[in-house]
Amino acid sequence: MDTRLLTTFLAVLRTGGMTAAAAELGFVQSTVTAHVQALERLAGTPLLDRRPGRVSPTRAGSLLAEHARGVLDLQERMLAEVTAAATEPSGPVRLRAPESVCAYWLAPLMPRMRARLPDVSLSLFPADTRTALTALADRRADLSLVLAPSPDPSGVDLVDLGPQPLSLVAAASTPLPGDRPLTPAELAATGVLLLEEGCSYSDEIAALVAAADPTANPPRFGGIETAKRCAAAGLGVALLPTVTVADELAAGALAELVPPAGLSRHHLWLAEPSSRWRSPAVHAVRTALIDSISRPDEAAAPGSPPRP
């Protein structure tokens, strides 16, 4: 069997349609249709329920998808082991991580990573917790870093990389008190600036505000920099990773407030599929990520990223 048929079939299930799968894979739609039809001929049964605007797997299709993931994993392992027998770790590694981690921690780490693993091509994709974990399940990521209190996703192994401080910030001229925890009602009255749904700490503070004022409808922003600048302009308060606002707090451009009592303590977690084989390149990147924060002398070196 041509394993490209399995790759195409999984893409159809993941995207929900032939057209979307073709766009993701860089094929014309007729190629995707031909691949699925070839699989159905081999299986001797329909694999998809075709409905206007969307397709879904039949019972046989769901079973095939489960085995397809295992076959593709075995293929990846076979090719990587053959290559690794005579070479250093090499090949692509896809890493999903929060925007703050990509910009403030991983970006400074990349030069050392490249020097340590010159033949590994590491790609970074900003993603909130929900998106990062989904990408692992859909085979669109090899590793993910997630910022959450204590995630418990199924089929995922986690390594705790340590606490990640968060800061509640507002414009330097804010009239809000900075010497006591603010109440959810005060946050609702002032207005909170949230990141996209799926960001665990934004979703948590949004739930507190909603409980205090069900009519509140805080705005959502697609990035930390936008939320930070809007807070500095006096449009509301924002809960953001401390590393992303440290310079503005030191310069007096933002004021730090005390968040409501009971907010969870967030940690940075390294997540990987528990059942998927780990290529030498993925294993090397995983080890480098853990080493980068487990060695105080390296983390404290000039130009090093801050310890999470």
Side-chain angles (χ1 to χ4, degrees):
M1 176 187 291
D2 186 346
T3 56
R4 289 177 298 178
L5 304 183
L6 302 178
T7 299
T8 299
F9 182 67
L10 292 179
V12 171
L13 296 188
R14 182 168 59 248
T15 61
M18 304 283 191
T19 302
E24 179 180 292
L25 297 171
F27 294 161
V28 296
Q29 184 174 337
S30 59
T31 299
V32 173
T33 302
H35 283 187
V36 173
Q37 291 174 341
L39 272 180
E40 290 181 324
R41 286 194 298 271
L42 286 171
T45 185
L47 300 173
L48 295 174
D49 283 328
R50 295 164 171 83
R51 299 174 183 175
R54 187 166 183 84
V55 298
S56 59
T58 62
R59 183 176 180 181
S62 295
L63 181 60
L64 177 68
E66 181 179 343
H67 287 297
R69 295 184 182 96
V71 170
L72 292 175
D73 188 44
L74 182 59
Q75 175 183 261
E76 180 182 350
R77 175 178 180 176
M78 175 189 68
L79 295 175
E81 286 186 347
V82 169
T83 302
T87 64
E88 293 294 318
S90 63
V93 176
R94 301 159 299 173
L95 175 63
R96 304 258 175 170
E99 177 194 356
S100 60
V101 174
C102 286
Y104 290 88
W105 181 45
L106 293 177
L109 177 64
M110 289 295 286
R112 292 206 305 274
M113 187 83 74
R114 182 171 295 176
R116 179 172 174 173
L117 303 169
D119 296 323
V120 172
S121 176
L122 178 60
S123 300
L124 304 180
F125 302 91
D128 57 49
T129 297
R130 185 187 308 162
T131 302
L133 294 176
T134 299
L136 289 178
D138 289 345
R139 302 179 65 89
R140 290 179 291 115
D142 302 298
L143 298 167
S144 287
L145 293 168
V146 297
L147 188 56
S150 54
D152 187 25
S154 60
V156 173
D157 290 334
L158 296 167
V159 177
D160 187 355
L161 300 181
Q164 182 80 358
L166 301 172
S167 293
L168 185 67
V169 297
S173 59
T174 180
L176 292 170
D179 56 354
R180 63 167 176 80
L182 298 180
T183 66
E186 286 175 316
L187 292 181
T190 302
V192 293
L193 310 175
L194 305 174
L195 302 181
E196 291 179 309
E197 290 188 17
C199 174
S200 58
Y201 53 89
S202 261
D203 288 349
E204 185 175 1
I205 202 165
L208 289 178
V209 170
D213 181 4
T215 66
N217 187 26
R220 295 268 184 178
F221 296 91
I224 287 176
E225 289 301 314
T226 302
K228 180 169 64 173
R229 291 181 181 275
C230 287
L235 298 181
V237 299
L239 183 68
L240 300 172
T242 300
V243 66
T244 68
V245 294
D247 290 343
E248 288 81 2
L249 290 173
L254 286 171
E256 184 164 15
L257 306 172
V258 183
L263 279 181
S264 301
R265 185 177 177 85
H266 281 63
H267 283 234
L268 188 66
W269 305 83
L270 176 63
E272 58 186 331
S274 54
S275 60
R276 191 189 308 169
W277 174 76
R278 187 189 304 143
S279 74
V282 172
H283 179 79
V285 170
R286 176 187 185 275
T287 300
L289 289 172
I290 295 174
D291 286 351
S292 71
I293 64 169
S294 64
R295 297 177 180 176
D297 56 334
E298 182 175 328
S304 297
R307 288 175 65 90

